[in-house]
Amino acid sequence: MAGIQELRDLGDEELFERLESDKEELFNLRFKLATGQLDNPMRIKDVRHEIARILTIVREREMERPAADVEA
């Protein structure tokens, strides 16, 4: 579980890699939950929160860029 500052220090590419990794982990956790193999159901909540943090940081960075940079 990464802290918000640790996520903010990552570059865009690393952030998107982390996002994809977390989405894959969430899928696997949900699959394990459905099959009754999940040991720690709180992990689903933790991963969902980390995904939300990453998406928030991505959105903040988009808002900081001037409109011309976003369109190009």
Side-chain angles (χ1 to χ4, degrees):
M1 192 69 184
I4 190 74
Q5 191 57 46
E6 181 182 331
L7 291 173
R8 287 186 194 280
D9 292 340
L10 295 176
D12 287 346
E13 189 173 314
E14 294 168 316
L15 209 54
F16 284 113
E17 288 174 8
R18 188 81 168 254
L19 179 62
E20 289 304 313
S21 165
D22 284 346
K23 284 183 176 182
E24 185 176 329
E25 181 180 359
L26 183 60
F27 174 81
N28 291 331
L29 288 169
R30 286 181 173 156
F31 189 81
K32 285 182 180 182
L33 180 66
T35 59
Q37 299 174 351
L38 186 61
D39 295 330
N40 182 9
M42 287 301 295
R43 183 68 186 139
I44 292 175
K45 179 182 175 184
D46 293 340
V47 173
R48 287 180 59 227
H49 283 231
E50 184 164 324
I51 290 171
R53 284 185 192 101
I54 292 171
L55 292 175
T56 299
I57 293 168
V58 168
R59 182 67 178 144
E60 286 173 349
R61 289 180 183 179
E62 286 176 359
M63 297 297 288
E64 290 174 358
R65 293 187 191 127
D69 289 347
V70 175
E71 293 174 6

